[in-house]
Amino acid sequence: MHAPPADTAALPPQQSGAPGRAGPQAAGGPPAAGRSGPPPLWMWALVSGLFLAYATLSLRTHERLLSHSFDLAIFEQAVRSYAEGRLPVSEVKGPGFPVLGDHFSPVLALLAPAHLLFPSARTLLVAQAALIAASVLPLALWARRALGGAAAAVIGLAYGLSWGVANAVGFDFHEWAFAVPLLACSLAALGQDRPRAAALWALPLLLVKEDMGATVAAIGLLIAWRGGPGRRRLGLATAAAGAAWTLLAVLVVLPALNPGGEYFYAGFLGGSGGADGGFAALLHKGTLGLVTPDEKAVTLVLILAPTLFLALRSPLLLVAVPTLLWRGLSDYAPHWGTGYHYSLTAMPVVFAAFVHALERRGTTGPGLRRALAGAAGVCLLLLPGSSLGKLAEAEMWRAEPRIAAAHRMMARIPDGAQVQASDGLVPHLANRTSVSLFGWAASRPDPEWILVDTQVAPHLRWPLSARDEALALARARAAGYRTVAGEQGFVLLGRTSRTG
């Protein structure tokens, strides 16, 4: 499976042959380079430490009621459906909404056994921490073989603490957590001239999310580039499978499964570049629109900065183009920035390109040390502003009476009940009730219970303003709900027929 054809190369030739066949050792580099075999103990310690940091951040954020209905509760409800032997649905998206009609991510079914044992949103957060931490191994092992143990340690740590990874971990759970170890394994294999392994690691990405097909296509084209007939066939077949699946998913499968009969997210690529905008608007959106407003350009710079822009010297960086392209073309502003999880899948790509760029240039001695020191410095500079930086804030560890009050209020809601709740409360109820979002137009009407946090911080208040929330509570009381309990700003309403 791992043996490449002897006469071909996946990427442009290096100083001494194909990727993976020459490195600093062949060019007079450190004797530590070139070692293979299982990960050493320090590498397991690094992965374990990152896992603990990720899990601590995620679980503590969740405990402080800072996780969300969109997206953690949606995924929790989908995995719960799989665990119960049903196709995935999410009440948060709408009554009985089929999740496979929103994003096609059957890979979530792999979490069903763990959810059966530990039915909680925490299971998803811990799984995400493990998946992302595991993605360090293939990159670090490749760096160790190509550049030496010290370089592998720096690159593994810089990748694991990079802002794109940190911000994804700090914002709920996402199916892209499954993508990063697959991407890391595929790109490490490709960089080491193992095309079959690269293709086999890439193809499961088709089960992660519909947009990953374009990424698979990019990997396939790199496999085929400058290869012999066998490699070209493998690469083109991989690229065709990726492109065909993305087209099939967004044009046929998702519209067929979506209650609205459409691929909802296609609308994000409309806006001023649509038919009404004319050719000039379309041209702008496909050129300058990729880097304007300025937030898009800043994000591109920050994605490349942890590698000192050396990733630009590797063709492996082309694998990030599909993701960066749809983000740049999107009309949805959060897609442009550095928040949330949108840069997660770019991080293994840029760090794989970093390793490959250092290897193919034969960077050794002082040059290698400068590159590694610079990468580590950028990582440390950006770390305090990322979500992982919150672990150093006293507020993160402060005991808050409101949290205990929230759990007491939620405990009063019986299992299996239909509930509407505030955004930060929904993920805590998703494992045992049929819960949707209070104030969201698509939520199931006339629930048995309503639980609202009336004192949530202004920047976390969504989807209703304080005034609209008060009006909605008044309408609920007028419709027959009565106040069952109230504490620390939490208000629990129940229907008179259920509570009286």
Side-chain angles (χ1 to χ4, degrees):
M1 170 169 107
H2 299 301
D7 60 341
T8 58
L11 302 171
Q14 303 177 75
Q15 294 176 349
S16 304
R21 295 180 185 168
Q25 188 176 24
R35 290 187 298 182
S36 58
L41 184 60
W42 69 260
M43 204 174 288
W44 287 116
L46 171 61
V47 171
S48 299
L50 289 169
F51 165 72
L52 289 175
Y54 299 159
T56 300
L57 173 63
S58 293
L59 294 174
R60 186 60 186 158
T61 299
H62 179 61
E63 179 64 21
R64 296 178 62 221
L65 310 181
L66 297 177
S67 53
H68 305 276
S69 53
F70 288 71
D71 292 316
L72 181 56
I74 292 174
F75 287 111
E76 157 77 4
Q77 290 174 333
V79 173
R80 178 185 172 187
S81 299
Y82 281 123
E84 294 173 351
R86 300 179 287 115
L87 288 176
V89 297
S90 173
E91 285 287 296
V92 172
K93 293 289 293 184
F97 187 95
V99 174
L100 290 176
D102 187 49
H103 287 302
F104 196 81
S105 304
V107 71
L108 294 173
L110 295 177
L111 296 178
H115 194 274
L116 275 174
L117 294 174
F118 306 100
S120 168
R122 295 178 182 86
T123 299
L124 277 66
L125 298 174
V126 171
Q128 175 172 259
L131 287 164
I132 296 177
S135 69
V136 174
L137 279 176
L139 295 176
L141 283 170
W142 176 22
R144 177 174 178 255
R145 179 175 181 265
L147 305 169
V154 172
I155 290 171
L157 193 61
Y159 163 67
L161 297 178
S162 62
W163 65 264
V165 169
N167 288 349
V169 171
F171 181 69
D172 291 4
F173 169 91
H174 301 90
E175 68 277 88
W176 277 340
F178 286 95
V180 286
L182 292 171
L183 278 170
C185 288
S186 179
L187 294 173
L190 184 56
Q192 294 173 88
D193 201 27
R194 294 159 46 207
R196 292 192 195 92
L200 290 173
W201 281 114
L203 288 172
L205 289 167
L206 301 180
L207 302 178
V208 174
K209 199 175 179 183
E210 65 278 358
D211 64 293
M212 285 285 100
T215 300
V216 173
I219 293 173
L221 291 176
L222 281 179
I223 292 173
W225 190 17
R226 296 176 66 93
R231 171 169 272 168
R232 281 198 296 271
R233 284 194 296 270
L234 173 64
L236 292 176
T238 301
W245 171 243
T246 288
L247 290 173
L248 182 65
V250 301
L251 296 178
V252 179
V253 176
L254 286 159
L257 296 176
N258 188 285
E262 62 179 356
Y263 178 51
F264 174 79
Y265 300 95
F268 289 167
L269 303 180
S272 61
D276 294 338
F279 177 76
L282 261 173
L283 183 63
H284 177 269
K285 189 166 188 179
T287 53
L288 290 177
L290 292 174
V291 292
T292 57
D294 292 346
E295 189 176 6
K296 297 179 183 179
V298 170
T299 296
L300 285 173
V301 168
L302 289 177
I303 284 173
L304 295 168
T307 69
L308 305 182
F309 300 92
L310 291 174
L312 288 167
R313 301 190 177 191
S314 168
L316 292 181
L317 189 62
L318 294 173
V319 176
V321 168
T323 296
L324 297 177
L325 189 62
W326 72 251
R327 289 178 65 187
L329 292 174
S330 174
D331 292 324
Y332 182 54
H335 286 160
W336 309 338
T338 57
Y340 305 108
H341 57 290
Y342 297 114
S343 296
L344 175 61
T345 56
M347 291 297 106
V349 179
V350 297
F351 275 91
F354 184 44
V355 175
H356 183 241
L358 292 175
E359 180 185 17
R360 72 198 295 251
R361 291 178 65 205
T363 308
T364 60
L368 180 60
R369 287 193 291 271
R370 284 194 298 270
L372 296 174
V378 172
C379 171
L380 293 175
L381 180 67
L382 297 178
L383 184 61
S386 74
S387 293
L388 277 173
K390 295 176 182 176
L391 292 175
E393 297 175 0
E395 183 181 4
M396 192 73 169
W397 308 103
R398 187 177 297 124
E400 299 181 22
R402 294 192 76 246
I403 294 175
H407 286 282
R408 286 193 295 270
M409 300 286 279
M410 288 187 286
R412 301 186 66 147
I413 300 174
D415 293 352
Q418 290 184 1
V419 188
Q420 284 188 17
S422 294
D423 183 45
L425 303 174
V426 171
H428 294 267
L429 292 164
N431 66 318
R432 63 180 186 86
T433 69
S434 178
V435 63
S436 54
L437 179 61
F438 182 69
W440 185 250
S443 293
R444 185 182 293 275
D446 303 319
E448 299 167 277
W449 301 86
I450 295 174
L451 179 57
V452 177
D453 181 359
T454 64
Q455 294 182 6
V456 67
H459 69 283
L460 297 174
R461 183 173 290 283
W462 181 81
L464 298 178
S465 67
R467 178 179 178 277
D468 290 340
E469 180 181 87
L471 292 173
L473 286 172
R475 287 194 296 269
R477 292 186 176 100
Y481 289 88
R482 74 176 181 88
T483 302
V484 176
E487 184 181 358
Q488 294 279 344
F490 297 98
V491 177
L492 178 63
L493 305 182
R495 280 203 175 276
T496 304
S497 61
R498 296 281 181 176
T499 62

